[in-house]
């Protein structure tokens, strides 16, 4: 059940990213992941400024793997 063959043109989600094939492989951050990150950053920003800065740096590393993401969620 954990293994299957998929059509890359339809795409699939894995570890917070959506992968799909147009001319090349495109990696996009899932909308649900973006909402979760925005919520987490909002809570951390109010409670602990230093942890917020560290979390922001960590999420930027996560986003570097993606071809597309909305930066408006970070600020």
């Amino acid at each position: 059940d954990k293994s299957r063959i998929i059509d890359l043109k339809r795409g699939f989600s894995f570890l917070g990213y959506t992968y799909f094939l147009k001319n090349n492989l495109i990696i996009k951050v899932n909308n649900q992941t973006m909402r979760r990150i925005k919520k987490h950053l909002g809570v951390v920003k109010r409670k602990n400024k230093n942890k917020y800065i560290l979390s922001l740096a960590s999420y930027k590393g996560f986003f570097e793997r993606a071809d597309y993401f909305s930066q408006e969620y970070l600020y």
Side-chain angles (χ1 to χ4, degrees):
D1 286 342
K2 69 177 186 169
S3 300
R4 63 182 173 187
I5 297 173
I6 58 166
D7 181 12
L8 285 178
K9 291 179 182 175
R10 292 182 62 206
F12 67 97
S13 294
F14 183 68
L15 295 176
Y17 299 105
T18 300
Y19 300 85
F20 56 97
L21 189 63
K22 284 202 175 180
N23 293 331
N24 295 332
L25 181 66
I26 296 175
I27 304 170
K28 181 181 172 187
V29 176
N30 292 345
N31 291 334
Q32 180 181 1
T33 302
M34 293 299 290
R35 285 191 298 272
R36 193 176 315 125
I37 288 170
K38 183 178 179 181
K39 181 178 177 182
H40 176 256
L41 287 175
V43 170
V44 172
K45 189 175 185 177
R46 286 190 299 270
K47 291 185 178 184
N48 186 337
K49 190 74 168 181
N50 290 331
K51 188 174 180 181
Y52 171 76
I53 293 168
L54 294 173
S55 293
L56 191 60
S58 176
Y59 285 130
K60 283 184 178 182
F62 174 79
F63 291 134
E64 284 180 1
R65 295 193 167 276
D67 295 317
Y68 170 80
F69 70 93
S70 180
Q71 291 186 2
E72 68 188 39
Y73 284 101
L74 291 179
Y75 305 104

